[in-house]
Amino acid sequence: SVDLYAPPNNLGDFIDRSKESVILVECSIGNEVYYGTGWPLEVGGQVLYITNHHVVEGCEVSPNNDVLLFNGDDLDSATANQLHAGSVISYDRSKDLAIIQSTLNSEPFTPSDEVLTGHWVMAIGNPAGLIRSVTLGTVSTLTVDFLPWAGYVDAIITDAAINQGNSGGPLLNSRGEVIGVNTAVAGDFQNISTTVKVYELCNQLLDCSSEPWRLR
């Protein structure tokens, strides 16, 4: 069994394997382009991508629900086979979550609600153009947090660095399971980042009574 308080045994392999599935999400509104992070989850018989609602805000309502997904390591040298069309198919503003459909087929992560204060965690995302960068930390506490742009969420507070561009990315435990969706950093405080618990997807978006989860 894996000790969730300790880092994975082979951290290098763990990082390489985990990074492969994390994508950059691009939402274009007029001349403005907004970036965030997303990750794959098996839903029903397909792989869908999870991100924050605020990452795709303005790109979430049909017919203007197109986004671009990038699954490479360097956006400046992106090749055509690393860029994939996606469309936002559902979202829950109150929990700051959204689901994207795409033909891109990445190895999906497994969700878990097994999380306690002190557990080791790793966040993966695309802050400041640092594609698929990782930050390591621990679960600082579990709480209900109020996100001013969304609402009250079951939250994991972590000291793993979360910055603009990390939004929507996965917070992984040392088993490689997703426990949360990285969302926010607390104003003027250091090392206090909010991650929405992955099971908040079950609030409005997914039916989590079956394995794998299904769209509602």
Side-chain angles (χ1 to χ4, degrees):
S1 68
V2 173
D3 177 6
L4 293 179
Y5 292 95
N9 287 335
N10 192 328
L11 188 54
D13 281 354
F14 179 91
I15 290 172
D16 289 344
R17 206 169 55 243
S18 303
K19 280 169 61 169
E20 280 300 301
S21 290
V22 176
I23 55 160
L24 182 139
V25 179
E26 180 185 298
C27 165
S28 299
I29 306 169
N31 296 325
E32 295 292 322
V33 179
Y34 301 93
Y35 294 103
T37 304
W39 53 273
L41 177 69
E42 187 180 345
V43 178
Q46 61 183 326
V47 172
L48 299 176
Y49 291 85
I50 309 301
T51 190
N52 284 139
H53 173 259
H54 79 257
V55 168
V56 295
E57 190 160 16
C59 291
E60 81 274 53
V61 181
S62 182
N64 302 310
N65 61 333
D66 293 336
V67 291
L68 193 63
L69 308 183
F70 171 66
N71 68 328
D73 292 315
D74 181 1
L75 201 52
D76 293 331
S77 59
T79 58
N81 64 353
Q82 294 174 326
L83 296 166
H84 305 268
S87 51
V88 180
I89 57 169
S90 62
Y91 61 90
D92 179 356
R93 182 190 293 270
S94 71
K95 303 296 183 185
D96 198 14
L97 295 168
I99 300 179
I100 297 166
Q101 192 169 38
S102 173
T103 54
L104 173 61
N105 203 13
S106 305
E107 182 66 32
F109 288 111
T110 300
S112 174
D113 64 349
E114 191 180 341
V115 53
L116 295 171
T117 298
H119 278 180
W120 180 93
V121 292
M122 178 172 85
I124 313 176
N126 305 299
L130 302 170
I131 306 291
R132 289 177 171 170
S133 58
V134 305
T135 52
L136 309 177
T138 54
V139 175
S140 304
T141 191
L142 302 170
T143 188
V144 174
D145 200 6
F146 180 71
L147 304 176
W149 58 91
Y152 288 98
V153 297
D154 283 338
I156 301 164
I157 307 299
T158 178
D159 60 358
I162 307 288
N163 289 289
Q164 199 172 353
N166 275 110
S167 291
L171 188 72
L172 303 176
N173 65 17
S174 50
R175 251 192 235 124
E177 299 162 331
V178 176
I179 54 173
V181 183
N182 300 322
T183 299
V185 61
D188 299 329
F189 297 97
Q190 296 290 315
N191 308 332
I192 300 178
S193 303
T194 298
T195 295
V196 177
K197 272 192 174 180
V198 71
Y199 271 68
E200 288 286 43
L201 285 164
C202 311
N203 175 55
Q204 286 184 30
L205 298 177
L206 300 179
D207 172 3
C208 302
S209 63
S210 65
E211 291 283 336
W213 295 350
R214 296 189 301 260
L215 283 169
R216 283 186 189 268

